[in-house]
Amino acid sequence: MKKAILYVHGKGGSSLEAEQYKEACHGFEVVGAAYQGEYPWVVRPQLQAAYGALRREYSSVSVIANSIGAYFTMLALQGCEIERAFFISPVLDMERLILDMMGWAQATEDELREKGEIPTDFGETLSWDYLCFVRENPICWDVPTSILYAEHDQLIARDIVESFAQSHHAALAVMAGGEHWFHTEEQLAFLRGWLQKMITQPRLDEGSGG
């Protein structure tokens, strides 16, 4: 059986990051999705095309997704035949994240609706169209999923991750002292160890998990 993993990077990332996962994913062809753009309606068809290309060549396709890449993955590939998903510091509730950022920026929905876009001092631009799209395109995700979360993730609230893990019967691992962006030698070693462990275990719906 030819098996592939589609890697979906986060904001500011690159499809070339897929290289760092290959050693931990022995027996799989790891392919990075070279998508462009930051808006979900732009990214969605690109990820669907990347998945379709792999599905034509491989009998099994799984996904690894990082940060906002997890949201894009769930949006684009819900309903697709995906073996497993491995999410790292994932954005699991985009509406909640946008509302949190609006709170940080002290922006109301009325202001955002009126202005269309509001730049923030933390580097994000709030978008009314983006918020509307998220609300109008709910996600139904039923893929066996494993999640790696960092204890000191300042972007993604822990209660969101724990709630998702519970409702989706997902395996959840938390790195003590970790950050949203896994980038230090220690953090990357933890990530690789987690991924290698998860990828060699049976799926949760097959009677075992992490």
Side-chain angles (χ1 to χ4, degrees):
M1 176 186 289
K2 294 178 63 179
K3 300 182 293 183
I5 293 177
L6 180 65
Y7 172 70
V8 183
H9 65 78
K11 183 176 180 180
S14 165
S15 60
L16 299 178
E17 295 169 13
E19 292 292 323
Q20 67 182 312
Y21 300 102
K22 290 187 175 182
E23 184 177 351
C25 300
H26 181 71
F28 293 81
E29 182 68 25
V30 184
V31 179
Y35 71 86
Q36 303 292 324
E38 297 183 358
Y39 292 103
W41 53 88
V42 174
V43 175
R44 179 167 56 181
Q46 297 179 67
L47 293 188
Q48 290 171 339
Y51 166 81
L54 288 183
R55 200 71 187 86
R56 288 190 291 271
E57 186 176 353
Y58 295 88
S59 53
S60 169
V61 176
S62 295
V63 293
I64 297 173
N66 189 14
S67 191
I68 198 173
Y71 168 68
F72 289 153
T73 295
M74 292 190 294
L75 173 70
L77 303 184
Q78 57 185 323
C80 293
E81 189 176 348
I82 298 173
E83 186 72 14
R84 301 176 73 175
F86 306 92
F87 288 167
I88 304 160
S89 301
V91 175
L92 300 169
D93 186 337
M94 179 56 78
E95 181 180 6
R96 164 73 179 273
L97 179 57
I98 293 173
L99 294 176
D100 283 347
M101 290 193 293
M102 289 172 60
W104 303 337
Q106 298 184 325
T108 67
E109 283 199 36
D110 287 341
E111 289 174 326
L112 188 57
R113 183 189 302 109
E114 180 181 346
K115 295 180 179 179
E117 291 187 345
I118 297 177
T120 70
D121 57 10
F122 48 85
E124 299 290 340
T125 298
L126 302 171
S127 164
W128 177 250
D129 287 344
Y130 204 133
L131 178 59
C132 290
F133 178 91
V134 170
R135 288 174 169 170
E136 293 166 3
N137 291 271
I139 289 172
C140 180
W141 186 249
D142 60 0
V143 175
T145 300
S146 298
I147 298 170
L148 177 58
Y149 179 76
E151 180 185 18
H152 298 312
D153 192 321
Q154 296 183 332
L155 183 66
I156 310 300
R158 184 163 180 163
D159 68 297
I160 291 293
V161 177
E162 291 178 340
S163 176
F164 181 97
Q166 183 176 12
S167 63
H168 290 77
H169 306 290
L172 172 61
V174 179
M175 181 183 178
E179 304 167 87
H180 179 77
W181 177 37
F182 283 73
H183 65 288
T184 68
E185 184 175 341
E186 179 186 9
Q187 291 166 356
L188 291 174
F190 190 98
L191 191 163
R192 287 191 294 268
W194 165 80
L195 182 57
Q196 191 165 27
K197 177 184 177 183
M198 290 296 100
I199 212 163
T200 55
Q201 289 185 346
R203 297 187 337 184
L204 292 179
D205 59 353
E206 294 175 343
S208 181

